[in-house]
Tab-separated table of all heavy atoms in Angstrom:
chain	number	residue	atom	x	y	z
K	380	ILE	N	-24.339	9.676	-13.059
K	380	ILE	CA	-24.579	10.762	-14.016
K	380	ILE	C	-25.623	10.343	-15.049
K	380	ILE	O	-26.496	11.145	-15.432
K	380	ILE	CB	-23.259	11.177	-14.673
K	380	ILE	CG1	-22.397	11.915	-13.637
K	380	ILE	CG2	-23.495	12.051	-15.898
K	380	ILE	CD1	-21.027	12.272	-14.100
K	381	LEU	N	-25.560	9.105	-15.493
K	381	LEU	CA	-26.565	8.648	-16.454
K	381	LEU	C	-27.967	8.696	-15.841
K	381	LEU	O	-28.926	9.104	-16.512
K	381	LEU	CB	-26.234	7.229	-16.932
K	381	LEU	CG	-25.004	7.111	-17.837
K	381	LEU	CD1	-24.719	5.651	-18.165
K	381	LEU	CD2	-25.175	7.923	-19.113
K	382	GLU	N	-28.099	8.305	-14.579
K	382	GLU	CA	-29.418	8.378	-13.955
K	382	GLU	C	-29.868	9.825	-13.797
K	382	GLU	O	-31.056	10.132	-13.969
K	382	GLU	CB	-29.429	7.670	-12.599
K	382	GLU	CG	-30.827	7.619	-12.002
K	382	GLU	CD	-30.977	6.646	-10.858
K	382	GLU	OE1	-29.996	6.447	-10.111
K	382	GLU	OE2	-32.085	6.089	-10.692
K	383	ALA	N	-28.928	10.728	-13.481
K	383	ALA	CA	-29.274	12.143	-13.387
K	383	ALA	C	-29.714	12.702	-14.734
K	383	ALA	O	-30.391	13.730	-14.795
K	383	ALA	CB	-28.089	12.943	-12.853
K	384	ALA	N	-29.316	12.036	-15.805
K	384	ALA	CA	-29.767	12.391	-17.155
K	384	ALA	C	-31.040	11.644	-17.543
K	384	ALA	O	-31.503	11.739	-18.688
K	384	ALA	CB	-28.667	12.093	-18.164
K	385	GLY	N	-31.590	10.870	-16.608
K	385	GLY	CA	-32.819	10.128	-16.872
K	385	GLY	C	-32.620	8.825	-17.591
K	385	GLY	O	-33.556	8.299	-18.201
K	386	LEU	N	-31.388	8.256	-17.502
K	386	LEU	CA	-31.053	7.040	-18.235
K	386	LEU	C	-30.655	5.917	-17.289
K	386	LEU	O	-30.025	6.147	-16.264
K	386	LEU	CB	-29.895	7.323	-19.209
K	386	LEU	CG	-30.128	8.443	-20.227
K	386	LEU	CD1	-28.841	8.771	-20.957
K	386	LEU	CD2	-31.235	8.065	-21.206
K	387	LYS	N	-30.992	4.696	-17.664
K	387	LYS	CA	-30.639	3.534	-16.858
K	387	LYS	C	-29.181	3.139	-17.086
K	387	LYS	O	-28.591	3.423	-18.125
K	387	LYS	CB	-31.562	2.358	-17.179
K	387	LYS	CG	-33.002	2.573	-16.720
K	387	LYS	CD	-33.853	1.317	-16.884
K	387	LYS	CE	-35.260	1.544	-16.346
K	387	LYS	NZ	-36.104	0.323	-16.488
K	388	THR	N	-28.618	2.446	-16.109
K	388	THR	CA	-27.225	2.018	-16.173
K	388	THR	C	-27.055	0.887	-17.183
K	388	THR	O	-27.779	-0.105	-17.129
K	388	THR	CB	-26.746	1.539	-14.795
K	388	THR	OG1	-26.894	2.601	-13.847
K	388	THR	CG2	-25.286	1.095	-14.842
K	389	PRO	N	-26.097	1.001	-18.104
K	389	PRO	CA	-25.818	-0.122	-19.021
K	389	PRO	C	-25.430	-1.374	-18.244
K	389	PRO	O	-24.748	-1.288	-17.212
K	389	PRO	CB	-24.655	0.402	-19.859
K	389	PRO	CG	-24.747	1.889	-19.767
K	389	PRO	CD	-25.274	2.175	-18.395
K	390	ALA	N	-25.840	-2.513	-18.732
K	390	ALA	CA	-25.667	-3.770	-17.996
K	390	ALA	C	-24.202	-4.131	-17.779
K	390	ALA	O	-23.864	-4.827	-16.815
K	390	ALA	CB	-26.377	-4.902	-18.741
K	391	HIS	N	-23.300	-3.661	-18.650
K	391	HIS	CA	-21.912	-4.094	-18.550
K	391	HIS	C	-21.127	-3.348	-17.468
K	391	HIS	O	-20.017	-3.751	-17.133
K	391	HIS	CB	-21.208	-3.897	-19.898
K	391	HIS	CG	-20.919	-2.468	-20.222
K	391	HIS	ND1	-21.833	-1.643	-20.839
K	391	HIS	CD2	-19.815	-1.706	-20.012
K	391	HIS	CE1	-21.314	-0.443	-21.000
K	391	HIS	NE2	-20.088	-0.443	-20.510
K	392	MET	N	-21.678	-2.284	-16.926
K	392	MET	CA	-20.920	-1.484	-15.952
K	392	MET	C	-20.838	-2.177	-14.599
K	392	MET	O	-21.781	-2.833	-14.146
K	392	MET	CB	-21.549	-0.099	-15.791
K	392	MET	CG	-21.338	0.811	-16.985
K	392	MET	SD	-21.909	2.502	-16.666
K	392	MET	CE	-21.423	3.314	-18.200
K	393	ASP	N	-19.679	-2.014	-13.931
K	393	ASP	CA	-19.483	-2.575	-12.591
K	393	ASP	C	-20.092	-1.696	-11.509
K	393	ASP	O	-20.486	-2.189	-10.454
K	393	ASP	CB	-17.982	-2.736	-12.301
K	393	ASP	CG	-17.316	-3.748	-13.209
K	393	ASP	OD1	-17.928	-4.796	-13.469
K	393	ASP	OD2	-16.181	-3.488	-13.653
Side-chain angles (χ1 to χ4, degrees):
I380 289 175
L381 290 176
E382 186 165 32
L386 303 170
K387 291 188 177 180
T388 301
H391 73 274
M392 288 187 176
D393 295 319

